[in-house]
Amino acid sequence: MSETAKIILDGKEYELPVITGTENEKAIDISNLRSMSGYITLDTGYKNTGATTSAITFLDGEKGILHYRGYSIEELAEKASFTEVAYLLLDGELPTQKQLEDFNNEIKIHTLVNEDLQNIFKSFPTGSHPMGQLISMMSALSAYYPKSLDPNRSDEQKRRTMLRLIAKMPTLCAMIYKKRTGHPFIYPNNKLDYVSNFLNMTFKHVSDEYEVDPVYVDAMNKLLILHADHEQNCSASTVRLVGSSHASLYASIAAGVAALWGPLHGGANQQVLEMLEQIKADGGDVAKFINKAKDKNDPFRLMGFGHRVYKNFDPRAKIIKKACDDVLNKLGINDPILEIAKKLEEVALKDSYFVERKLYPNVDFYSGIIYRAMGFPTDMFTVMFALGRLPGWIAQWKEMTKEGQPIGRPRQIYTGNNLRPFVEINKR
Ligand code: CMC
């Protein structure tokens, strides 16, 4: 007989099914608890709530394990290209050489964006945050592909929308960078691979020759792969929730980008660099900032530290820390910020406050140092995160829509006033 859980409420016993995942993860299925007993479960911030089953990403926060479709993040970051990983996330299997070539060619068909989108960029004031622009651009795409609004489109039509998004994202991210610098946009060059094309559109000047540095390409591929999916995090859950109302994929992704922007989520990478700069400008006293982070009366937090699910180490951070050393060495850059980051990590990892709370460097702690070495300004860092996370968001959306999951609609426990009579304004 399959495993069940028993719950006793008001003296009555209810039996609930237990669900077991392929990595032996266990969950009590409470979906019928309210209809049986009148009770709901309460879990603010979803700290212990599974919102879905999923076959995309496996994560064990206690052991520091992260797998995409059964492949370890360490192997993927070492051996795969970003579009190979995007294919894996979307289709479930690693592509053959031919399948990958076809996939890359399909993406290349869609890399241009409508010229009219340039007018939207023109309307943004110089200096507007790149993430605000990216949110607008994701939803603006829906205006050019109105058929994408139909939730009953064929799988083939849905696939085209997914490909368009993956293809146009680098073009739009590079345009955001150019808008920031006030330089003319560079059109996609479809002779280049996905990452090289993005770097070319970003760093090439119209009048100059530009050769993409393979060190940059390797580093970007790695960083994008490490960010490509992270199961039911804040932005992926947002994409699923918005998509569950049958809003278009463009709208769902725009919502995901918005969720990612927050400093507790993807926005942390910008905050880390700003924090390290602040420590440097303050004279480099790491202990002072550790004490600030521990002080409950001080809103300062050690950015790039701590994670909702990783309670031992973040495997992505381990890989990025090593990549950071490699890239800076290869580029011959000696960045004092890296020394401050390492010192901060060393001191925090010995401090009982961080040890007791199981706070470790996360994916965002070292990534910004690499992006900075490559020439990206700090406010572009979260855009880079979004570029990497896009295939994961799409894969989550695809899985949800394929399974026909119901609209996401949490419940609540009401704590406001009981019913009371309306008092007319002159009597209040
Ligand atoms: N600095 C100082 N204290 C911290 C930090 C930090 N970075 N993170 C958590 N704490 C403390 C927190 O104050 C709390 O202490 P106490 O138990 O005494 O009240 C305890 O640790 C648990 O923290 P929490 O906020 O309840 O944990 P959470 O799971 O809700 O939050 C987090 C996770 C990532 C939001 C949080 O660790 C944080 O704010 N970190 C800094 C922001 C950051 O780096 N975010 C990027 C996350 S990784 C990229 C991504 O995938 O989004």
Side-chain angles (χ1 to χ4, degrees), residues 112-114 140-149 164 168 250:
L112 268 180
V113 296
N114 192 297
L141 282 177
S142 67
Y144 297 89
Y145 304 102
K147 286 190 189 138
S148 68
L149 303 182
R164 279 199 178 111
K168 292 178 199 308
Y250 294 116

Side-chain angles (χ1 to χ4, degrees), residues 47 230 233 260 263-269 272 293-294 296 300-309 311 314 316 353-354 357 359 362-364 385 389:
K47 291 195 173 197
H230 213 232
N233 56 83
L260 187 75
L264 298 188
H265 192 8
N269 56 10
V272 171
K294 287 159 43 174
K296 294 291 174 198
F300 178 83
R301 275 193 167 199
L302 206 53
M303 298 313 284
F305 253 76
H307 200 277
R308 169 61 62 79
V309 284
K311 300 298 174 195
D314 180 339
R316 303 167 301 172
Y353 174 95
F354 292 90
R357 289 170 181 77
L359 302 171
N362 59 49
V363 69
D364 289 326
F385 193 150
R389 183 57 55 88

